[in-house]
């Protein structure tokens, strides 16, 4: 049977010239087999609902590039004929009805701005079932059919629960300086934070060299060492103490045993904030007690790492991801985070993005070790 012999028709399940294929029994089996094989496609088509209006919010810690993402989502949606509503202060805005219609002008002149024009919050009420029910009712009352959530680990966890509970299409964008979401090479804000760290360490190096001191510089990252490790390489630091390998070796002991000051009078060590590393203060205390020959100082970079105008990398990443979020919704994707892996847009299921640990590239550790002699 070639394609010309068999085509769909209204007289039966299929209209076929060949007698064998004309029998109703045969046609029914073909239909059932086709349905079983392509069930996911049939299911998807059944579930598809037209998306006329989307809501957009930023949640959790702000990150440079969030505004570029808001702009990209808004403009791509409007370009595709979809209405946009900006939700202020993250999930809290859904509970308190801080919802405003966004036109293209609402997102003019924001691509270069740090922070988020939508404001952000960490909302405890949204962690409760009643809170999410209220949020859903407000969202529906505002005519919102789908959500785009820009945020980190906690925000996407909230999105996953909300989407499952109320069967809402939600697309996540990875917005966090920590770079700790699985499935994307980098997150929005990470590159800017990394550059800020590099500039700060460059400055601290001047005083460290002049006074011949050992400096522990604590950087953000929650429980991930991406900022510390890559920041150390970019700034030419001697070492990075990161949570990913803190349970394997005593990194401080290793640093001292490697004779880190053999060829230098000053040293800079980047420390990732985390209970696992203990943080810069605890390490400095250890040095004071165990290696009193070193004059040690601590600098905690803190929230200045979250501010500032986004780098070109973050603006481009946020723009691509924002546009891809609308493509994803139009393709009836849901419960996925947009990622960029090997320069390609990818859809990462929330469960993977949140739950799977993003591994540190061990080659970077080796590079840092070799270059710090
Ligand atoms: O998740 C981003 C982040 O900046 C982490 O690196 C840091 O641990 C945390 O947020 C700080 O949160 P907050 O601003 O609420 O103190």
């Amino acid at each position: 049977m070639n394609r010309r012999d068999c085509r769909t028709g209204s007289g039966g399940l299929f209209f076929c010239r060949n007698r064998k294929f004309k029998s109703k029994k045969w046609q029914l089996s073909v239909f059932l087999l086709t349905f079983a094989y392509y069930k996911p496609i049939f299911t998807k088509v059944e579930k598809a609902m037209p998306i006329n209006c989307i809501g957009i919010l930023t949640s959790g810690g702000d990150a440079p590039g969030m505004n570029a993402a808001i702009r990209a989502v808004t403009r791509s949606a409007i370009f595709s004929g979809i209405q946009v509503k900006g939700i202020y202060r993250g999930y809290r805005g859904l509970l308190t009805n801080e919802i405003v219609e966004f036109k293209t002008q609402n997102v003019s002149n924001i691509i270069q701005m740090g922070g988020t024009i939508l404001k952000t919050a960490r909302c405890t009420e949204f962690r409760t079932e009643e809170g999410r029910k209220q949020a859903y009712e407000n969202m529906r009352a505002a005519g919102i059919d789908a959500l785009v959530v820009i945020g980190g680990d906690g925000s996407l966890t909230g999105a996953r629960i909300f989407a499952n509970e109320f069967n809402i299409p939600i697309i996540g964008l990875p917005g966090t300086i920590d770079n700790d979401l699985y499935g994307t090479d980098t997150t929005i804000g990470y590159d800017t934070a990394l550059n800020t760290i590099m500039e700060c360490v460059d400055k601290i190096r001047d005083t460290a060299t002049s006074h011949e001191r050992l400096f522990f510089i604590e950087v953000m990252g929650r429980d991930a060492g991406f900022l510390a490790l890559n920041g150390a390489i970019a700034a030419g630091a001697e070492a990075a103490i990161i949570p990913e390998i803190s349970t394997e070796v005593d990194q401080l002991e290793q640093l001292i045993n490697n004779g880190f000051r053999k060829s230098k009078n000053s040293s800079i060590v980047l420390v990732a904030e985390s209970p696992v590393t203990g943080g810069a203060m605890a390490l400095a205390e250890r040095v004071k007690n165990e290696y009193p020959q070193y004059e040690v100082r601590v600098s905690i970079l803190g929230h200045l790492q979250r501010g500032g105008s986004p780098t070109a990398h973050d603006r481009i990443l946020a723009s691509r991801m924002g546009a891809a979020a609308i493509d994803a919704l139009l393709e009836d994707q849901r419960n996925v985070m947009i990622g960029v892996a090997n320069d390609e847009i990818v859809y990462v299921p929330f469960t993977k993005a949140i739950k799977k640990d993003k591994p540190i590239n061990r080659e970077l550790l080796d590079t840092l070790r070799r270059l710090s002699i």
Side-chain angles (χ1 to χ4, degrees):
M1 179 177 58
N2 62 39
R3 282 185 63 192
R4 271 189 301 162
D5 289 331
C6 185
R7 39 192 101 105
T8 54
S10 53
L13 287 168
F14 294 96
F15 173 79
C16 296
R17 280 199 205 139
N18 186 319
R19 244 171 145 209
K20 181 185 165 198
F21 300 118
K22 261 185 174 174
S23 98
K24 281 270 189 275
K25 211 169 147 196
W26 172 260
Q27 291 184 2
L28 188 66
S29 332
V30 168
F31 176 77
L32 288 176
L33 265 174
T34 313
F35 183 78
Y37 193 72
Y38 290 108
K39 193 165 174 274
I41 298 171
F42 281 98
T43 315
K44 221 174 186 184
V45 171
E46 266 167 26
K47 274 190 188 165
M49 274 194 349
I51 292 170
N52 300 314
C53 174
I54 60 157
I56 175 169
L57 60 86
T58 49
S59 163
D62 62 335
M66 277 186 165
N67 283 325
I70 295 169
R71 172 180 177 269
V73 170
T74 304
R75 295 211 166 154
S76 299
I78 293 171
F79 181 84
S80 299
I82 299 170
Q83 198 188 6
V84 179
K85 301 231 166 137
I87 300 156
Y88 283 84
R89 297 179 178 80
Y91 294 116
R92 188 184 297 161
L94 274 179
L95 284 155
T96 51
N97 262 319
E98 293 180 83
I99 305 172
V100 172
E101 178 160 5
F102 263 30
K103 302 280 187 200
T104 57
Q105 309 85 271
N106 289 82
V107 293
S108 292
N109 301 321
I110 64 165
I111 196 167
Q112 77 286 7
M113 287 163 52
T116 159
I117 59 159
L118 282 174
K119 317 283 183 210
T120 186
R122 302 191 197 273
C123 177
T124 44
E125 296 98 301
F126 194 73
R127 296 203 181 132
T128 66
E129 243 177 87
E130 308 85 75
R132 290 192 295 275
K133 190 165 175 282
Q134 184 64 59
Y136 176 68
E137 280 163 13
N138 292 347
M139 176 187 146
R140 297 304 295 163
I144 297 171
D145 305 309
L147 284 180
V148 176
V149 172
I150 310 170
D153 199 42
S155 312
L156 299 191
T157 303
R160 185 183 63 81
I161 297 168
F162 196 39
N164 285 338
E165 261 173 2
F166 297 98
N167 196 23
I168 315 162
I170 305 187
I171 303 296
L173 296 190
T176 167
I177 64 164
D178 301 341
N179 196 34
D180 58 348
L181 288 164
Y182 181 87
T184 187
D185 291 342
T186 57
T187 53
I188 298 166
Y190 169 66
D191 184 66
T192 308
L194 200 53
N195 277 283
T196 303
I197 290 169
M198 185 185 72
E199 283 165 26
C200 291
V201 177
D202 285 351
K203 290 198 168 86
I204 292 173
R205 182 184 295 286
D206 292 343
T207 175
T209 319
S210 306
H211 283 269
E212 301 182 297
R213 283 170 171 163
L214 162 63
F215 260 88
F216 286 114
I217 303 176
E218 187 174 296
V219 299
M220 281 187 167
R222 214 179 284 267
D223 291 313
F226 298 98
L227 286 170
L229 179 55
N230 283 307
I233 293 175
E238 275 60 49
I241 295 189
I242 58 172
E244 286 84 348
I245 59 163
S246 288
T247 50
E248 292 172 22
V249 280
D250 182 340
Q251 293 171 87
L252 180 63
E253 201 180 275
Q254 193 180 55
L255 178 78
I256 308 280
N257 289 348
N258 285 351
F260 73 105
R261 285 187 89 177
K262 267 187 195 142
S263 56
K264 297 169 187 174
N265 293 326
S266 66
S267 287
I268 290 179
V269 177
L270 264 65
V271 183
E273 57 155 17
S274 161
V276 188
T277 61
M281 284 296 205
L283 286 164
E285 214 43 51
R286 266 190 70 189
V287 171
K288 275 183 201 158
N289 295 329
E290 295 170 35
Y291 312 99
Q293 66 273 34
Y294 300 124
E295 196 185 354
V296 63
R297 291 288 185 276
V298 168
S299 186
I300 297 175
L301 298 188
H303 287 80
L304 70 82
Q305 295 163 90
R306 290 231 299 254
S309 179
T311 58
H313 175 91
D314 276 335
R315 294 182 198 196
I316 295 165
L317 185 72
S319 301
R320 286 180 72 187
M321 287 180 164
I326 301 303
D327 292 341
L329 282 172
L330 293 175
E331 287 166 22
D332 193 31
Q333 291 284 339
R334 50 183 67 201
N335 268 344
V336 294
M337 179 193 85
I338 305 293
V340 170
N342 299 321
D343 206 29
E344 299 250 354
I345 293 284
V346 289
Y347 299 150
V348 189
F350 281 155
T351 37
K352 265 197 179 176
I354 301 157
K355 294 234 170 90
K356 279 195 99 171
D357 278 342
K358 186 171 182 172
I360 275 283
N361 182 350
R362 298 226 164 205
E363 176 224 305
L364 295 173
L365 272 172
D366 185 51
T367 303
L368 177 61
R369 218 167 276 147
R370 280 195 278 160
L371 302 189
S372 64
I373 54 169

